[in-house]
Amino acid sequence: MEKIGTRGGHNRQCEGASAIINEVTEDRNVCAAMNENLKNAGDTVVNCTPENCGENEDLNYGTDTANNNHVDLFVPIHFNNTYTNYNGAIGSEIWINPSSSISVATGTRILNNLQALGFKNRGLKNGMHLHDVRATNMPTVLVEVCFVEATEDVELYKKLGADVVGKAITDGINGKVGSHAPIIINKQASNVTIPETRVNNSIAQLQDECNRQGFSNQKVDGFNGTNTLAGCPLTKFGANGNITKWIQKRLGFPTNLQTGYFGDITKNAIIKYQAAMGLNADGIVGQGTWTALLR
Ligand SMILES: [Zn+2]
């Protein structure tokens, strides 16, 4: 009997991935099934899924709730997205702290169970750049169930349903190997190369936008690295476009204030943010402020 913290990634105010299916809708469906199964198995469930709020608040709510309740294991549920459209299967992956043996063992069991259901097993990944993995005091397994744009992933997920997928994850948490027979989806040939994937949609969006505007020519992989920071332009009062919009989203502006226009509201929010982060509070987003924003 264990105390398990579960969390559906993102929320309606800061949406996650969306293509054939919607991440926020489905991660909550899977969490609901997991919570039910965990309770039936005698585990204590701590619901770490926030209500609607900004991106930072969303992330902090999950890890604070897990830490404050001293859960034994933290399990955030996500659905992945790399392409606009993808004809075929991409699969499941789990992000962990590789030095945590409990995370390795638990993540492996969950992936094996998802593979047994028919999902491609993309393996365990080093998630030390992710807030959920870094900011928790206990083993954390961040499950990316499948890709929302991959036709075969979604077809399989829909055939199985969130209850079966949630059960497979729960069985993995509790040390069991699932017994569900795999569902075979008709494979269609695909010659698209699958890049190293990313979980942090917002980093990939920014990388893409910086490339689009000619500030960089970097790989859009969702991993914040030196090329990402180097590609972020000095952004200040008077700017207008998707980079400012990204900053507004990152600062947790409500959707109606994510206008893309860098006016007084944005400048004041940046000044406040810089002061809180111990940066020079000049209202201009340069490399120092970008470094903080990209974290
Ligand atoms: Zn996600």
Side-chain angles (χ1 to χ4, degrees):
M1 197 176 110
E2 284 192 304
K3 199 192 255 191
I4 313 290
T6 63
R7 152 177 169 66
H10 320 274
N11 65 66
R12 289 293 171 212
Q13 191 180 314
C14 52
E15 287 278 359
S18 192
I20 312 171
I21 51 176
N22 178 278
E23 178 174 15
V24 171
T25 303
E26 299 310 332
D27 67 31
R28 276 144 176 82
N29 287 340
V30 171
C31 273
M34 285 169 59
N35 294 349
E36 189 69 27
N37 279 305
L38 288 166
K39 282 177 199 158
N40 290 341
D43 294 311
T44 304
V45 174
V46 176
N47 181 1
C48 304
T49 308
E51 300 295 325
N52 290 351
C53 56
E55 194 172 355
N56 287 338
E57 208 186 319
D58 177 84
L59 289 168
N60 289 331
Y61 181 91
T63 50
D64 287 350
T65 306
N67 288 337
N68 294 338
N69 285 280
H70 304 284
V71 301
D72 299 307
L73 180 75
F74 183 45
V75 190
I77 301 296
H78 287 255
F79 282 69
N80 225 326
N81 185 211
T82 290
Y83 305 104
T84 309
N85 306 295
Y86 187 88
N87 195 5
I90 305 181
S92 315
E93 62 197 18
I94 293 184
W95 297 78
I96 58 163
N97 174 349
S99 62
S100 157
S101 57
I102 292 175
S103 301
V104 172
T106 309
T108 302
R109 287 195 303 268
I110 295 171
L111 280 174
N112 286 344
N113 286 351
L114 290 172
Q115 186 178 3
L117 293 178
F119 291 106
K120 269 191 187 173
N121 186 341
R122 291 169 55 80
L124 296 173
K125 302 204 165 182
N126 183 348
M128 290 309 288
H129 61 300
L130 299 172
H131 174 90
D132 281 347
V133 177
R134 266 201 325 227
T136 38
N137 303 325
M138 72 291 301
T140 293
V141 286
L142 189 156
V143 181
E144 291 275 358
V145 175
C146 66
F147 283 69
V148 296
E149 79 280 31
T151 53
E152 288 176 17
D153 282 13
V154 173
E155 190 184 349
L156 177 60
Y157 174 75
K158 282 185 174 170
K159 276 191 182 165
L160 293 163
D163 286 351
V164 170
V165 171
K167 177 78 163 54
I169 297 170
T170 311
D171 284 347
I173 291 169
N174 281 328
K176 283 182 271 180
V177 175
S179 55
H180 195 283
I183 288 181
I184 308 298
I185 300 287
N186 285 333
K187 294 272 183 285
Q188 282 173 350
S190 168
N191 55 5
V192 182
T193 317
I194 300 165
E196 183 68 11
T197 190
R198 49 121 194 88
V199 242
N200 191 339
N201 293 320
S202 67
I203 296 289
Q205 282 161 7
L206 181 66
Q207 290 171 326
D208 185 50
E209 190 59 34
C210 291
N211 282 348
R212 213 184 285 268
Q213 296 193 26
F215 294 111
S216 58
N217 182 20
Q218 61 182 306
K219 189 173 155 199
V220 178
D221 59 3
F223 291 104
N224 170 30
T226 39
N227 292 338
T228 308
L229 178 63
C232 292
L234 186 89
T235 307
K236 58 182 184 179
F237 189 91
N240 199 354
N242 283 332
I243 292 176
T244 300
K245 193 172 179 178
W246 187 94
I247 294 168
Q248 292 167 334
K249 201 173 160 188
R250 174 70 178 76
L251 292 178
F253 279 31
T255 318
N256 64 319
L257 290 180
Q258 293 171 19
T259 58
Y261 177 65
F262 201 124
D264 285 324
I265 297 173
T266 304
K267 187 177 176 184
N268 290 333
I270 286 290
I271 289 172
K272 206 172 138 195
Y273 175 77
Q274 289 169 324
M277 300 301 289
L279 297 160
N280 177 26
D282 59 2
I284 295 170
V285 182
Q287 295 280 286
T289 305
W290 273 120
T291 303
L293 290 169
L294 286 165
R295 237 171 247 147

